[in-house]
Amino acid sequence: IKMPKRTGIELLQSLQEEGISVKTIILSGFDDFEYIQQGVKLGIENFLLKPVDEVELISSLSNIVKKLDNENLYKKKVSDAEDILKENILYRFITDSIDNDEFIEKCELLHIDLNRRFYKVIFVSGQIDDHLKRLLNERLRPFGDCYMCRDYEDNLLILVAADELDDSAVDRLLETIARPAGCGDLFITAGERVEGSEHTPLSFQKA
């Protein structure tokens, strides 16, 4: 609790103000109800008096680990659900099968920013794994924002959106990635660059 420059309570207050989420156990030699009350308000997990009981400390740490595991599992489930919804929305957008008002609403909800000038759809089929997806994302990122989704046959669709988009440079890049020596049985084709998000389905149709 009482440390040089500032107290443990002040440290917790600073972390909270900065939006940093932590799990905290206070170890103190001061049996002061006011400290305990302040700590509870700041969301501490436990308040242990020195000398610390080893069994109680281990129990408190074990409970924190379980809480963190549960929180991480929940965050992963939420993230996975968002990814699935985002892929679904993008696929419907690329294939021109979603109402414009619904699409705008879902974009705001899922933080999809498609306020760019140019759009280009890339179609990938064959041996698609996480390594290939990372490679494509890394190589295409310099050209603009990249969004990926799967179609119903498990092919990969990539939407590149940018205010400035060198169409021929993207095509040359895709040719180098599609070479058998680099990625095995792989087929990559791309539609033409179109201007305006409403014309994105045209790029997909020509891919």
Side-chain angles (χ1 to χ4, degrees):
I1 288 292
K2 294 186 177 180
M3 304 185 299
K5 297 185 179 180
R6 59 179 171 178
T7 69
I9 294 297
E10 290 170 341
L11 174 61
L12 287 178
Q13 288 172 333
S14 297
L15 291 172
Q16 195 171 81
E17 288 169 2
E18 293 176 20
I20 300 173
S21 178
V22 295
K23 301 294 184 189
T24 309
I25 298 173
I26 291 180
L27 309 179
S28 177
F30 300 91
D31 187 7
D32 190 315
F33 179 73
E34 184 180 349
Y35 286 143
I36 298 174
Q37 194 174 39
Q38 288 177 318
V40 169
K41 287 181 180 178
L42 292 169
I44 63 171
E45 298 295 324
N46 206 345
F47 188 105
L48 303 180
L49 288 174
K50 299 176 182 177
V52 176
D53 182 283
E54 185 177 340
V55 174
E56 189 174 3
L57 176 59
I58 291 173
S59 176
S60 295
L61 291 171
S62 296
N63 287 333
I64 288 176
V65 170
K66 288 178 183 177
K67 282 188 176 182
L68 289 171
D69 286 343
N70 288 335
E71 287 176 7
N72 290 335
L73 180 61
Y74 174 76
K75 288 177 182 177
K76 185 179 185 308
K77 287 181 177 179
V78 170
S79 177
D80 288 347
E82 286 183 353
D83 288 344
I84 291 171
L85 181 56
K86 184 179 290 187
E87 284 205 19
N88 177 266
I89 294 302
L90 285 170
Y91 176 75
R92 291 171 63 195
F93 169 67
I94 290 171
T95 57
D96 198 23
S97 55
I98 185 171
D99 176 75
N100 188 60
D101 290 338
E102 180 187 356
F103 177 68
I104 292 173
E105 179 185 343
K106 292 296 195 302
C107 279
E108 292 176 355
L109 177 66
L110 298 170
H111 309 293
I112 300 173
D113 181 10
L114 292 180
N115 294 313
R116 297 290 182 263
R117 182 181 176 187
F118 295 111
Y119 297 83
K120 186 179 181 70
V121 176
I122 299 164
F123 176 88
V124 185
S125 66
Q127 297 179 358
I128 302 170
D129 55 19
D130 289 339
H131 171 72
L132 175 61
K133 290 173 70 175
R134 284 194 299 270
L135 174 64
L136 287 164
N137 188 59
E138 289 171 4
R139 297 286 182 86
L140 290 168
R141 274 292 175 189
F143 292 97
D145 299 331
C146 290
Y147 300 96
M148 296 185 179
C149 63
R150 297 269 191 164
D151 67 12
Y152 297 119
E153 295 180 352
D154 215 28
N155 299 307
L156 182 67
L157 303 180
I158 306 171
L159 175 62
V160 181
D163 291 322
E164 298 293 335
L165 184 59
D166 189 334
D167 204 22
S168 58
V170 173
D171 291 339
R172 288 194 300 271
L173 171 65
L174 295 174
E175 287 177 8
T176 64
I177 296 176
R179 288 173 186 165
C183 295
D185 184 15
L186 189 68
F187 175 75
I188 302 179
T189 184
E192 296 177 358
R193 180 191 70 179
V194 295
E195 186 171 356
S197 61
E198 68 275 13
H199 298 128
T200 297
L202 296 177
S203 180
F204 169 69
Q205 292 168 15
K206 295 180 180 180

